[in-house]
Amino acid sequence: MTARPANTHQARLLKLLRDGGPNSRAQLGDRMDLSRSKLAVEVDRLLETGLVAADGLAASRGGRRSHNIRLNPDLRFLGVDIGATSVDVAVTTPELDILGHLNQPMDVREGPVAVFEQVLDMAGKLKAAGLAGGFDGAGIGVPGPVRFPDGVPVAPPIMPGWDGFPVREALSQELGCPVMVDNDVNLMAMGEQHAGVARTTADFLCVKIGTGIGCGIVAGGQVHRGTTGSAGDIGHIQAVPDGRPCACGNRGCLEAHFSGAALARDAMQAAQQGLSVELAGRFETNGTLTAADVAAAAAAGDATALELIREGGTHVGQIIAGLVSFLNPGLVVIGGGVTGLGHNLLAAIRTQVYRQSLPLATRNLPIVLGELGPSAGVIGAARLISDHLFSPA
Amino acid sequence: MTARPANTHQARLLKLLRDGGPNSRAQLGDRMDLSRSKLAVEVDRLLETGLVAADGLAASRGGRRSHNIRLNPDLRFLGVDIGATSVDVAVTTPELDILGHLNQPMDVREGPVAVFEQVLDMAGKLKAAGLAGGFDGAGIGVPGPVRFPDGVPVAPPIMPGWDGFPVREALSQELGCPVMVDNDVNLMAMGEQHAGVARTTADFLCVKIGTGIGCGIVAGGQVHRGTTGSAGDIGHIQAVPDGRPCACGNRGCLEAHFSGAALARDAMQAAQQGLSVELAGRFETNGTLTAADVAAAAAAGDATALELIREGGTHVGQIIAGLVSFLNPGLVVIGGGVTGLGHNLLAAIRTQVYRQSLPLATRNLPIVLGELGPSAGVIGAARLISDHLFSPA
């Protein structure tokens, strides 16, 4: 598929069909505020391009029955979510429903060539399973800042070898379809916006706590990426004056005090200091500890694990409190690997935000866990490329 | 004038004429990407409404000479900027050039009825001076959060008696013209965007340091007001853990450590403790001290005054550093009464932001003083109402 909508009416029609599914011409006309004849012109043009297809007769609203239309059911999008230590690849329908989803361990530090080999292999497996003949477009998320217009990572701290690599161009050639690239946290926000907990919210923050920590910002329904693509990079906001040294060279950064990596480090320290029998036992068995071990220890009632989670949540909450006062969002979504820490983490974050933010800004502010888990990123990636393809060229 | 543009083409034409001044049909057609005949239709309709007027022949571009058009030169906007302790009222041309500007001391705590009486009196003086027959619209800024759609202040901490007062409706009746209401800091940002230092920037922060402290957020060219109108309220972000008690009930808020009021308090304390001969002398003469006294003492080389400014700038810089990492703006503008502290303040803010923000976010980040001084708010107010009037009803 190389066709693109010819004007903003067609673009809006395509997005309505993507977000709302098959619909009758009559209802689409109502929602677009277009006359029946003007709508017919645009729909007919879209039918000619092959972007949409007829889908039988709609239920009667009295009078002549309207024809249903839908996005061409053969369209396939590829969603790729590259993390620090694993990669998700999924194929979706034109409505962004997942048909197949693979997750594999991976080390982003091996560089783009090795990582893309693995991604292409995974995409090939999804094709071989009969889920897609080819891909009409692909969205790619990477765990660092991206110069959005040309899809190039810029100075990504945890991605050596990726700085300036032409991800968009390289993958577009390999896959033979249009590609868009974005920061992984922005894609998580777009996923939760499309199919998750943020469906009805135009202004929200999506805080992803994984190996590192970042924040997707959605304002007026649009992702805010900032002047150089680094918006939402909250891991290096100062959480503790003169606090712990951070890899970035400063002290007291949020990420140095709480993230998946910081939590694992603190848990291992506690185990070695004999502060927790539960953590020490797991450390002895596995030779290392992760955030998942802390979650399991907390679930077993371990006081040290619970305290680590509470402390971490307080640090994140303190930063989020400032961002809430600053941006006055309608919703805060917490996602990422560390959400395995669940409601203990959420409780600590909420306590801090509700205590510290302006009352006016928290009057109607839900703070919730994301709904989609590891699907949020790949759905967001599919949404990214569909937003591009469903806009006038 | 009650006419409004009938469609988005007309709205765009009006804004082009406002921001760029009189122009030829030929050049407007180029900038709008409209054919000569389509443009002629829209221009003719606007001429009929009286919103635009013919303005002679344009310079030749070869071939037939094009006609100039401009906004109706008789249009008049009223810009009102209500501060904590003074009020600015100005009348502008349709291009938002100031024809007359009055400033008077005022106490916002006297409540809306007394304040509006004074505002109407000042507007009457501008009329009596022959600067306007009547007003086609008025923009009003108030020093607190505003529920934007209906123009009502919401829980404004320094404005007792204003909570829930229907400012928009009441002033619209008194003035007999459309009125829009916004937070004063947002208007300062819009003023600097229209005619000041932020003219070419779509993403910037405008930090206003006066009696209190606040921040206007412009993203994608639009002011971001937040879900309940409190976006940018940075005065109560925590600057110092367990720091000074703040009027809001928390400790360590930015405003408790630096603002016009905090600076005056600290200066008086220093004077009484005998730390500064310069400040003590001024305190004895006037019985009180303000930010202006600190500025004057600093200019005279007083070490204590310089230290107070440096400390304050460091606190503001620390908060701005976080906001810069978070939102990745292209420019930071510092405005408000405290800018009398000038380059000493700016140097302290810059040092902190460049030290503490992500390098990627500060790579091309100018931090500058506002250009318009007390005119920024009234120009922003005129821009606010013109944005409203120059949009389809």
Side-chain angles (χ1 to χ4, degrees), chain A residues 193 198-205 217-223 329-331, chain B residues 224 227:
Chain A
Q193 184 182 24
R199 262 189 309 263
T200 55
T201 317
D203 294 279
F204 68 96
L205 301 180
I217 305 165
V218 176
Q222 301 296 315
V223 172
L331 172 71
Chain B
H224 173 85
T227 300

Side-chain angles (χ1 to χ4, degrees), chain A residues 8 18 47 71 131 151 155 205 209 212 219 226-227 231 242 256 259 277 285 293 303 312 356 374 385 389:
Chain A
T8 52
R18 177 193 68 186
L47 284 165
L71 291 172
L131 301 176
L205 301 180
I209 313 173
T227 299
D242 295 317
S259 63
V277 174
T285 309
D293 293 307
Q356 199 181 307
I385 187 63
L389 295 173

Side-chain angles (χ1 to χ4, degrees), chain A residues 49-220:
Chain A
T49 63
L51 283 166
V52 306
D55 194 43
L57 285 172
S60 171
R61 305 203 297 180
R64 207 148 56 95
R65 283 171 71 195
S66 175
H67 281 266
N68 270 342
I69 58 166
R70 54 166 301 170
L71 291 172
N72 181 339
D74 296 331
L75 292 175
R76 289 292 175 274
F77 298 128
L78 185 71
V80 178
D81 187 7
I82 296 171
T85 58
S86 71
V87 57
D88 287 88
V89 178
V91 57
T92 79
T93 67
E95 290 84 12
L96 314 190
D97 294 321
I98 292 181
L99 293 172
H101 183 169
L102 298 174
N103 171 281
Q104 292 183 0
M106 179 225 60
D107 186 346
V108 77
R109 292 169 300 182
E110 289 183 9
V113 174
V115 168
F116 289 156
E117 203 172 308
Q118 186 171 354
V119 166
L120 292 169
D121 177 66
M122 292 166 80
K125 284 193 181 127
L126 292 167
K127 266 203 229 178
L131 301 176
F135 301 110
D136 298 287
I140 318 284
V142 298
V146 171
R147 201 164 64 222
F148 188 68
D150 49 1
V152 171
V154 187
I158 64 164
M159 299 168 68
W162 290 76
D163 189 13
F165 189 88
V167 173
R168 183 180 184 180
E169 203 184 300
L171 273 183
S172 181
Q173 278 195 357
E174 291 287 347
L175 290 165
C177 67
V179 168
M180 294 289 284
V181 186
D182 203 346
N183 175 267
D184 62 334
V185 188
N186 292 343
L187 294 189
M188 169 177 277
M190 292 176 81
E192 292 289 348
Q193 184 182 24
H194 183 79
V197 71
R199 262 189 309 263
T200 55
T201 317
D203 294 279
F204 68 96
L205 301 180
C206 182
V207 179
K208 182 176 181 180
I209 313 173
T211 306
I213 192 162
C215 180
I217 305 165
V218 176

Side-chain angles (χ1 to χ4, degrees), chain B residues 61-154:
Chain B
R61 305 204 297 179
R64 207 147 58 94
R65 282 172 71 194
S66 176
H67 281 267
N68 271 343
I69 58 167
R70 55 165 300 170
L71 291 171
N72 181 339
D74 296 331
L75 292 176
R76 289 291 176 271
F77 298 128
L78 186 71
V80 178
D81 187 8
I82 297 171
T85 57
S86 71
V87 57
D88 287 89
V89 177
V91 57
T92 80
T93 68
E95 291 84 11
L96 316 190
D97 294 321
I98 292 180
L99 294 171
H101 183 169
L102 298 173
N103 171 281
Q104 291 183 1
M106 178 224 63
D107 186 345
V108 76
R109 292 170 300 182
E110 288 183 8
V113 175
V115 168
F116 290 155
E117 202 173 307
Q118 186 171 351
V119 166
L120 292 169
D121 177 66
M122 292 165 81
K125 282 193 181 126
L126 291 167
K127 266 204 233 180
L131 301 177
F135 301 109
D136 298 287
I140 318 286
V142 298
V146 172
R147 199 164 64 221
F148 188 68
D150 50 0
V152 171
V154 186

Side-chain angles (χ1 to χ4, degrees), chain B residues 313-334:
Chain B
T314 302
H315 287 309
V316 187
Q318 183 193 329
I319 297 295
I320 295 177
L323 305 181
V324 162
S325 290
F326 178 55
L327 219 56
N328 187 202
L331 172 72
V332 175
V333 181
I334 311 288

Side-chain angles (χ1 to χ4, degrees), chain B residues 25-393:
Chain B
R25 286 173 182 242
Q27 285 195 320
L28 288 167
D30 291 351
R31 294 195 56 180
M32 301 264 303
D33 201 19
L34 272 186
S35 70
R36 205 155 175 139
S37 59
K38 275 194 182 160
L39 183 82
V41 171
E42 304 300 350
V43 168
D44 287 345
R45 285 187 190 150
L46 285 173
L47 285 164
E48 279 165 28
T49 63
L51 283 166
V52 307
D55 195 43
L57 284 173
S60 173
R61 305 204 297 179
R64 207 147 58 94
R65 282 172 71 194
S66 176
H67 281 267
N68 271 343
I69 58 167
R70 55 165 300 170
L71 291 171
N72 181 339
D74 296 331
L75 292 176
R76 289 291 176 271
F77 298 128
L78 186 71
V80 178
D81 187 8
I82 297 171
T85 57
S86 71
V87 57
D88 287 89
V89 177
V91 57
T92 80
T93 68
E95 291 84 11
L96 316 190
D97 294 321
I98 292 180
L99 294 171
H101 183 169
L102 298 173
N103 171 281
Q104 291 183 1
M106 178 224 63
D107 186 345
V108 76
R109 292 170 300 182
E110 288 183 8
V113 175
V115 168
F116 290 155
E117 202 173 307
Q118 186 171 351
V119 166
L120 292 169
D121 177 66
M122 292 165 81
K125 282 193 181 126
L126 291 167
K127 266 204 233 180
L131 301 177
F135 301 109
D136 298 287
I140 318 286
V142 298
V146 172
R147 199 164 64 221
F148 188 68
D150 50 0
V152 171
V154 186
I158 64 166
M159 299 168 68
W162 290 74
D163 188 14
F165 189 88
V167 172
R168 181 179 184 181
E169 202 184 302
L171 272 184
S172 179
Q173 278 194 358
E174 291 287 347
L175 289 165
C177 68
V179 169
M180 292 291 283
V181 186
D182 204 346
N183 175 267
D184 62 336
V185 187
N186 291 342
L187 295 188
M188 168 177 279
M190 292 176 81
E192 292 289 349
Q193 184 183 23
H194 183 79
V197 73
R199 262 189 308 262
T200 55
T201 316
D203 293 279
F204 68 96
L205 300 180
C206 183
V207 179
K208 182 176 182 180
I209 313 173
T211 306
I213 192 162
C215 179
I217 304 164
V218 176
Q222 301 296 316
V223 172
H224 173 85
R225 297 187 172 87
T227 300
T228 53
S230 75
D233 210 338
I234 62 172
H236 302 280
I237 294 182
Q238 190 180 81
V240 181
D242 295 318
R244 292 193 174 152
C246 180
C248 75
N250 275 322
R251 299 185 77 91
C253 295
L254 175 58
E255 222 170 86
H257 287 269
F258 187 62
S259 63
L263 190 64
R265 175 203 63 201
D266 293 346
M268 286 191 270
Q269 204 171 25
Q272 286 164 330
Q273 291 174 345
L275 297 174
S276 157
V277 175
E278 186 73 31
L279 289 172
R282 291 171 169 271
F283 188 45
E284 209 174 326
T285 310
N286 304 324
T288 187
L289 286 175
T290 67
D293 293 307
V294 181
D302 182 77
T304 301
L306 283 166
E307 177 59 18
L308 286 176
I309 295 171
R310 201 198 54 76
E311 244 180 58
T314 302
H315 287 309
V316 187
Q318 183 193 329
I319 297 295
I320 295 177
L323 305 181
V324 162
S325 290
F326 178 55
L327 219 56
N328 187 202
L331 172 72
V332 175
V333 181
I334 311 288
V338 169
T339 50
L341 305 174
H343 287 273
N344 289 314
L345 176 67
L346 208 54
I349 293 175
R350 282 178 178 150
T351 301
Q352 195 62 23
V353 173
Y354 293 141
R355 176 185 298 158
Q356 199 182 306
S357 297
L358 285 180
L360 185 58
T362 55
R363 203 180 265 182
N364 288 301
L365 181 73
I367 302 176
V368 299
L369 294 178
E371 269 179 12
L372 302 179
S375 299
V378 289
I379 292 174
R383 165 125 170 171
L384 175 73
I385 187 64
S386 70
D387 271 346
H388 172 71
L389 295 173
F390 293 168
S391 298

